[in-house]
Amino acid sequence: MNTHKFSMQRFGLLLKSEIERNRKDILVFIGIILGIYLISPLFNAGRLSTHAFSSYIAIMTFVLPFVFYRNLFHNTKGVAFGMLPASQSEKFLVMFVLCALVVPSGMILFSWIISLIGFALTGEAHMMFDFLGLFTNGNSPEHFNLGFFDSFFWSVIGAQSFSLWGTCFFKNNKFWKTILSGFCFVIAISIIGSIYGIRLHFNHEGLIAVNDRVVERLTVLATVFVQICLPVLLWTWGFFRIRRQQF
Amino acid sequence: MIEIKDLSFRYGKYYTVFDRLNLNLKAGYIYGLLGENGVGKTTLLRMLAGLRFPDEGSIHVMGHEPRRRNAEFLSDVYYLPEVINPVKLSLNEYVKLYAPFYPRFSHEQLAYYISGFGINPVQKIAQSSHGQQKKAMMCFALACNTRLLLMDEPTNGMDIPSKSIFRRLIASTAADDKCIVISTHQVRDLENLIDPIIILEKNRILLNNSVEEITRKLWFGRSPEKSDKDLYREESIGGYNIVGYNDRQEETKMDIEMLFNAAIQNKTLFKRMFIDEQDPSRRSDFADEMQKRLNTDREN
């Protein structure tokens, strides 16, 4: 096997071994989806709540990195993965592909299959039934449109970038530390936003009219930052962090 | 093969494990890493494996910096920790998944080690006893044929027959291009296997010498009487087991446990004798140390 920084063969082997290692957890996630699909209508007058179902899938996708890599830097449980002969970029990419692509796609595909069966039996369609719609923007064209980057799939994966970052950044108590960091981040952004908003509304003479174009541009900037820049930033940060973590 | 230069490492701000440590390990040897609890044996192994990073100084293993943890380095190093994380796979499944990562993995050798230890390769590793888990992972580690094999307390949890099998298998796997470092407290388990011996002491090395060098300088034996010249003695039936200066250049069989205890009781003396390579035959050089030790003995 070649020993370059990135080897496709080694990446494939690593992905295979990680799927095998997390096989039980993956099956549990699939079982939860099936359970929700079958049990949820019992509490909702015989109907499946579309939003609740998709939210459950989104939550499960968000927690995936915490479940799969809870022992990433553990001084005994994490050693086997840490010592596997693969480069750090291969290891991070495998984490990313497994958490952000393979398992979420598998969950969506499974949801779509059971939705299809459900539709065939009851004639009821819901959000997960619209397979392609999950990957395209639901907004009307006159709204600001980021295409795929506004889709349900990307929104969930974008949110997951935060949990993947937390998994790489924190050595232990990953979940709670990540959630706490999230709260701190939201509070900081809110404070900055409020200060900026106040300064925009008032000048030294008092209240001024807000320019629609300014607001629109700020909204575009904020959306692009949150939907695209932030996830990419968090993935990159996670990658650099994994290289520096000790066991 | 391993070059450690001015290595310093601390846990937190105040707990210094290594302070400007220098050490060279060569290929073709099975090193025994001994030391009291907390002197940093596991930390050193983890640093050699790239799992921990030095605060200062450098470590080079086969020309690589372990902290970079690159694929080429990792494919030539195997670290077997003291506590094994039991995987929910059988040894056969484990080998199928992870052996392709190691370019020199030998399935023939694996079969030999499995039969040597008498383990069941289809049984889930997590469902085996601690000793069986250790043996399973040891089979895998040895079959990987990495040039550097780091083992932390490998015989802990093993039954008595397995310990002798372990010695036999390790001896059979040794080669000119390989370096094996075994950290242990169970020194008797590794008797006649490890050579050279490294004794770590807080922040420094007391000894890093071959058995031949050690027995050239030290005398191991029994005597019915105790003497002021003894570096270390233990009472036994009908006399004393003794470690002393080998001033008559006699050839004696080294007792690792006695050596370790002698080193711990005569730290400065050992450092001067083995690390600074001062001549022990010039007794006057060591007289002050000897006197100090005797005074302490008397006070106790």
Side-chain angles (χ1 to χ4, degrees), chain B residues 28-86:
Chain B
Y29 294 97
I30 302 172
Y31 285 87
L33 187 60
L34 316 179
E36 292 173 293
N37 291 327
V39 294
K41 300 186 296 295
T42 301
T43 306
L44 184 63
L45 291 188
R46 282 176 175 257
M47 284 177 143
L48 294 177
L51 295 171
R52 282 215 163 263
F53 307 152
D55 290 331
E56 285 156 40
S58 66
I59 301 179
H60 282 95
V61 177
M62 297 174 283
H64 297 277
E65 245 189 289
R67 63 180 299 158
R68 297 198 181 278
R69 297 198 284 246
N70 64 46
E72 189 182 359
F73 167 74
L74 292 172
S75 66
D76 231 354
V77 177
Y78 198 95
Y79 169 62
L80 190 69
E82 182 185 2
V83 181
I84 285 165
N85 179 34

Side-chain angles (χ1 to χ4, degrees), chain A residues 123-238:
Chain A
E124 287 225 27
H126 64 91
M127 187 185 170
M128 301 311 286
F129 181 74
D130 180 16
F131 190 68
L132 286 178
L134 297 171
F135 299 93
T136 50
N137 182 12
N139 289 337
S140 53
E142 61 264 26
H143 284 91
F144 170 60
N145 195 329
L146 276 172
F148 171 69
F149 297 108
D150 259 341
S151 68
F152 171 77
F153 183 80
W154 179 261
S155 302
V156 173
I157 297 308
Q160 193 210 51
S161 67
F162 189 59
S163 55
L164 196 62
W165 167 83
T167 309
C168 297
F169 195 82
F170 298 111
K171 209 169 168 182
N172 40 41
N173 294 324
K174 293 172 190 285
F175 180 76
W176 294 113
K177 283 179 182 172
T178 308
I179 297 296
L180 194 68
S181 309
F183 274 122
C184 294
F185 178 74
V186 169
I187 289 168
I189 288 288
S190 308
I191 292 169
I192 294 166
S194 308
I195 293 169
Y196 192 74
I198 289 166
R199 290 185 67 180
L200 200 72
H201 275 76
F202 299 95
N203 62 11
H204 57 279
E205 287 165 358
L207 186 67
I208 56 161
V210 181
N211 187 334
D212 277 353
R213 280 185 64 82
V214 172
V215 172
E216 198 180 310
R217 281 174 70 181
L218 278 175
T219 311
V220 170
L221 274 175
T223 311
V224 170
F225 176 74
V226 171
Q227 292 285 89
I228 301 171
C229 300
L230 196 59
V232 173
L233 190 80
L234 289 170
W235 285 322
T236 314
W237 193 351

Side-chain angles (χ1 to χ4, degrees), chain A residues 1 3 10 13-14 17 20 75-77 79 83-88 171 242-247, chain B residues 9 46 49 51-53 67-69 71-72 74-75 77 79 81 83 85 89 97-98 100-102:
Chain A
M1 193 178 294
T3 50
R10 210 165 39 218
L13 278 171
L14 197 57
S17 66
E20 185 60 39
N75 61 4
T76 49
K77 293 175 183 170
V79 167
M83 288 301 294
L84 258 187
S87 66
Q88 301 306 299
K171 209 169 168 182
I242 197 176
R243 294 166 55 157
R244 294 178 56 190
Q245 278 285 18
Q246 299 185 51
F247 294 73
Chain B
F9 182 81
R46 282 176 175 257
L51 295 171
R52 282 215 163 263
F53 307 152
R67 63 180 299 158
R68 297 198 181 278
R69 297 198 284 246
E72 189 182 359
L74 292 172
S75 66
V77 177
Y79 169 62
V83 181
N85 179 34
L89 299 168
L97 275 181
Y98 296 110
F101 286 98
Y102 295 91

